Amino acid sequence: MRWSDHCLICSGQQELVVNVRERGPYEQMHDYTRVLFCCACSVGELRSFSYDGFVVYGEEDEVMVWSSILSAADVDRLRSAFTCPAPLAGNCECPHHVRAYDTSLRVNKTRLPEHGPDRHSPVGRTTAVVELVDGLVEFRSAG
């Protein structure tokens, strides 16, 4: 697993629950949106990751991570409601993957620093919830 597949709270290995969307990895680009779950912390995470090797120095960071906490109950809801036969296929265009990705874009996520203590803290991190709408999973910002 890559460093980004480790829990941002305890650094333990996270389970990949759903690979909502993924492009790459290519030599100069890799993007993904995933739902991860840490059994040690009993906390889920909606994580968006972007690596862009074409970034001009000083323009923006070449690696960016955004994160939103999901409760264990929401991860359980996702497991039972996301009925695509290939939930780990990040290139799947089924209605489940498409709706999950489209709604994940609207969730308020916290941009995490690449280094430092704030990267490994849930303090200040946004929270997302999982809802079932017309038989498809949707993500929403909590509160």
Side-chain angles (χ1 to χ4, degrees):
M1 291 214 145
R2 294 175 291 278
W3 64 268
S4 59
D5 291 325
H6 290 85
C7 179
L8 298 176
I9 298 169
C10 75
S11 296
Q13 198 159 4
Q14 288 181 305
E15 172 193 358
L16 176 56
V17 178
V18 174
N19 196 7
V20 176
R21 184 169 187 196
E22 185 162 11
R23 295 182 308 160
Y26 305 112
E27 187 176 327
Q28 292 292 317
M29 190 273 299
H30 188 200
D31 295 329
Y32 65 72
T33 298
R34 295 177 177 166
V35 174
L36 304 161
F37 185 73
C38 179
C39 292
C41 294
S42 193
V43 67
E45 178 183 8
L46 176 62
R47 183 183 300 183
S48 294
F49 169 89
S50 175
Y51 163 69
D52 183 352
F54 297 106
V55 168
V56 175
Y57 180 78
E59 184 178 89
E60 65 181 27
D61 296 337
E62 74 179 12
V63 174
M64 292 186 275
V65 179
W66 297 268
S67 175
S68 192
I69 299 294
L70 289 168
S71 70
D74 278 312
V75 173
D76 287 343
R77 187 174 301 111
L78 177 69
R79 288 181 203 273
S80 64
F82 200 88
T83 58
C84 171
L88 303 184
N91 60 350
C92 182
E93 292 291 330
C94 78
H96 298 281
H97 276 91
V98 170
R99 176 81 57 91
Y101 179 68
D102 288 348
T103 59
S104 75
L105 293 173
R106 294 189 291 264
V107 170
N108 293 326
K109 293 183 264 329
T110 304
R111 180 162 175 216
L112 302 178
E114 191 169 352
H115 305 287
D118 290 341
R119 178 169 182 75
H120 298 285
S121 171
V123 176
R125 191 119 31 115
T126 58
T127 302
V129 296
V130 173
E131 295 179 359
L132 188 61
V133 178
D134 298 327
L136 299 173
V137 168
E138 293 189 358
F139 295 103
R140 304 246 191 258
S141 297

